[in-house]
Amino acid sequence: MVRKRVPDWLNSSLWSTTPADDRLHHYSPSPTTTTSSATFSEPTLQPPAPVPPPAASSKPQSTPTSPKLETRDPVNRNSNNNSGGNDQNGDSSGVSPDDISRQAQLLAELSKKVINMWELRRIASQGIPDGGGIRSTVWKLLLGYLPPDRSQWSSELAKKRSQYRHFKEELLMNPSEITRRLEKSVGCDNDESKPEGRGLLSRSQITHGEHPLSLGKSSVWNQFFQDSEIIEQIDRDVMRTHPDMHFFSGDSQLAKFNQDAMRNILIVFAKLNPGIRYVQGMNEILAPLFYVFKNDPDVEMAANAEADTFFCFVELLSGFRDHFCQQLDNSNVGIRSTITRLSQLLKEHDEELWRHLEVTTKVNPQFYAFRWITLLLTQEFNFADSLHIWDTLLSDPEGPLETLLRVCCAMLILIRRRLLAGDFTSNLKLLQHYPSANISHLLYVANKLRTQAIG
């Protein structure tokens, strides 16, 4: 059998040399979140320290203080607005000409009455410049939360935010509050001439489902106790989310507020999706969305970040939800099938590397790709670079998964020389502790794989 020749562009020293991007740091292994459907043990990594943007400053960060703008037009914002170093506005002196050009193109597209989604995806796939809240608006459009017609934004946002408030009122209420309201309702019907009957339920009025000791499936108390275990897991994971970023962690009022918002989103999602509930790792996928939306310079947009994040989180996870369902692990839509697709993609584009990894050194791709795919690469790169990668993932009209697999394949190709020279132990360690990489180069290689497949 004749092996496919490796394309010359893959052997360029450009992909094997250490980039000059000093924003990326090596990090040491420590426990991190993984989904419950894992059937293997792997060393895990501590989230890398964030770098500007978004940098975690040494002092507590403050919420955005920009002037409030109309909800219907979150585009026309003053790019000089700043929220104490906690928003997406970077230092203008460090903005490249390409960033300025893309920013101008995005603002021009976003200013149209009806946005051309094809053009928006094309520009955003190259990376969305930090600043002015552009990423917040573009992500909402790419995820289908905002319609292309800007005249509908105000009504759509009002409707969705109202719906989320209803979800919270219905799903986050403690059974004690339900009982109290019932008592109040019954008390109003009692004979007010009998003071001893005001607000008190007789034994016959307390239904089986409302009794704290009830084990019935319809019992609000039984459901509450079943939910407690999941809520405790959510609390633990939220507290562990990016512990080195003041936005997510610490004793500041900002961090506590953000933790409560993320906790609410994950609990509401778990209760609305009983087939999946909550799985460890969902907090890591939620974090970039909430960070971007909460740091929108528009005060009204930032104030409603929790509701906006919830619906965008639901939409994003809809394309990956089968990866979090353990019962589907071995199906053609489960995580193992997706990992197999990555293996096939590598074999198609670099058979020599595929053979060395999986045949010669016998490195099972599940040992490294499971986390790469389920957590959308949030644990392999620093937070700022994760946002850049997500710009590209969300811009794919076919959905993020296809682009994610190409990026993962490109990650292997970028370090192919080191992998080809390594054995099982060194290669596994390298892949589970992915080295520093230039994100622009990485995305370039991923796009090369796409154009080659089309060609």
Side-chain angles (χ1 to χ4, degrees), residues 173-175 219-229 231:
M173 187 183 300
N174 189 294
S219 168
V220 293
W221 281 100
N222 184 36
Q223 188 62 51
F224 172 76
F225 292 130
Q226 289 182 4
D227 292 340
S228 296
E229 184 178 350
I231 293 174

Side-chain angles (χ1 to χ4, degrees), residues 273-329:
N273 295 271
I276 299 180
R277 310 279 279 176
Y278 171 77
V279 179
Q280 283 185 286
M282 289 183 177
N283 60 305
E284 302 293 350
I285 298 177
L286 175 65
L289 292 171
F290 183 69
Y291 179 91
V292 168
F293 297 163
K294 186 61 180 176
N295 285 309
D296 193 312
D298 186 303
V299 174
E300 184 174 348
M301 286 292 185
N304 289 281
E306 182 179 329
D308 297 347
T309 302
F310 169 77
F311 286 103
C312 289
F313 176 71
V314 171
E315 179 60 31
L316 176 60
L317 217 59
S318 66
F320 299 95
R321 59 182 295 151
D322 293 337
H323 293 166
F324 291 93
C325 187
Q326 187 173 4
Q327 292 80 359
L328 297 177
D329 276 358

Side-chain angles (χ1 to χ4, degrees), residues 53-307:
S57 62
S58 59
K59 58 185 179 179
Q61 297 166 321
S62 58
T63 53
T65 57
S66 308
K68 179 179 179 180
L69 302 178
E70 287 187 335
T71 302
R72 69 176 63 249
D73 189 7
V75 177
N76 298 321
R77 302 182 174 108
N78 185 350
S79 61
N80 294 323
N81 291 339
N82 195 296
S83 58
N86 186 40
D87 62 12
Q88 303 168 62
N89 300 327
D91 183 358
S92 59
S93 62
V95 178
S96 69
D98 287 342
D99 285 344
I100 295 175
S101 175
R102 278 199 304 275
Q103 185 177 50
Q105 293 178 61
L106 287 168
L107 287 173
E109 192 59 47
L110 293 173
S111 66
K112 297 179 180 178
K113 292 183 179 180
V114 179
I115 296 168
N116 183 331
M117 291 302 299
W118 185 90
E119 182 66 13
L120 184 71
R121 292 181 186 278
R122 183 191 67 79
I123 303 171
S125 66
Q126 304 170 38
I128 302 172
D130 300 292
I134 297 178
R135 178 176 278 123
S136 173
T137 304
V138 172
W139 279 17
K140 291 171 185 175
L141 284 160
L142 295 177
L143 288 166
Y145 182 59
L146 286 176
D149 188 344
R150 291 178 60 209
S151 65
Q152 300 176 11
W153 286 7
S154 181
S155 59
E156 284 295 317
L157 289 174
K159 180 176 67 175
K160 290 292 188 181
R161 290 165 179 173
S162 175
Q163 186 179 3
Y164 181 70
R165 285 193 298 271
H166 175 73
F167 286 154
K168 289 179 65 176
E169 292 172 358
E170 179 180 350
L171 300 174
L172 300 183
M173 187 183 300
N174 189 294
S176 298
E177 177 65 16
I178 298 176
T179 302
R180 189 192 67 79
R181 293 189 180 188
L182 181 60
E183 291 175 351
K184 182 178 180 180
S185 174
V186 174
C188 293
D189 296 334
N190 286 341
D191 185 359
E192 294 190 0
S193 64
K194 299 178 181 179
E196 68 276 9
R198 294 178 184 173
L200 301 177
L201 288 175
S202 67
R203 184 178 297 273
S204 61
Q205 289 173 314
I206 301 178
T207 66
H208 178 70
E210 293 153 5
H211 196 286
L213 300 181
S214 172
L215 298 178
K217 292 183 178 181
S218 62
S219 168
V220 293
W221 281 100
N222 184 36
Q223 188 62 51
F224 172 76
F225 292 130
Q226 289 182 4
D227 292 340
S228 296
E229 184 178 350
I230 292 178
I231 293 174
E232 289 174 1
Q233 182 64 61
I234 290 174
D235 287 339
R236 288 193 295 268
D237 290 349
V238 167
M239 293 292 290
R240 290 197 295 249
T241 303
H242 296 290
D244 47 4
M245 290 183 66
H246 294 304
F247 180 87
F248 295 105
S249 182
D251 297 326
S252 68
Q253 184 178 0
L254 171 69
K256 296 297 183 184
F257 179 87
N258 293 337
Q259 289 171 358
D260 287 343
M262 292 178 63
R263 177 182 184 273
N264 291 340
I265 293 171
L266 293 171
I267 293 175
V268 171
F269 177 86
K271 291 191 174 185
L272 289 176
N273 295 271
I276 299 180
R277 310 279 279 176
Y278 171 77
V279 179
Q280 283 185 286
M282 289 183 177
N283 60 305
E284 302 293 350
I285 298 177
L286 175 65
L289 292 171
F290 183 69
Y291 179 91
V292 168
F293 297 163
K294 186 61 180 176
N295 285 309
D296 193 312
D298 186 303
V299 174
E300 184 174 348
M301 286 292 185
N304 289 281
E306 182 179 329

Side-chain angles (χ1 to χ4, degrees), residues 298-402:
D298 186 303
V299 174
E300 184 174 348
M301 286 292 185
N304 289 281
E306 182 179 329
D308 297 347
T309 302
F310 169 77
F311 286 103
C312 289
F313 176 71
V314 171
E315 179 60 31
L316 176 60
L317 217 59
S318 66
F320 299 95
R321 59 182 295 151
D322 293 337
H323 293 166
F324 291 93
C325 187
Q326 187 173 4
Q327 292 80 359
L328 297 177
D329 276 358
N330 296 315
S331 70
N332 59 359
V333 294
I335 181 61
R336 290 193 178 90
S337 175
T338 302
I339 293 175
T340 298
R341 290 176 57 192
L342 172 60
S343 174
Q344 293 170 344
L345 189 65
L346 177 63
K347 182 179 181 181
E348 176 185 348
H349 291 284
D350 193 340
E351 185 174 349
E352 180 185 9
L353 178 58
W354 169 85
R355 186 175 301 279
H356 181 76
L357 282 177
E358 299 193 24
V359 179
T360 304
T361 62
K362 300 188 185 304
V363 175
N364 189 325
Q366 290 189 32
F367 295 160
Y368 59 89
F370 184 91
R371 186 181 63 212
W372 291 9
I373 294 172
T374 55
L375 301 186
L376 308 189
L377 300 176
T378 56
Q379 301 297 288
E380 315 313 316
F381 303 97
N382 67 40
F383 196 82
D385 286 337
S386 295
L387 299 184
H388 188 182
I389 292 173
W390 277 37
D391 292 338
T392 302
L393 296 183
L394 299 181
S395 299
D396 193 330
E398 300 176 0
L401 181 57
E402 298 304 319

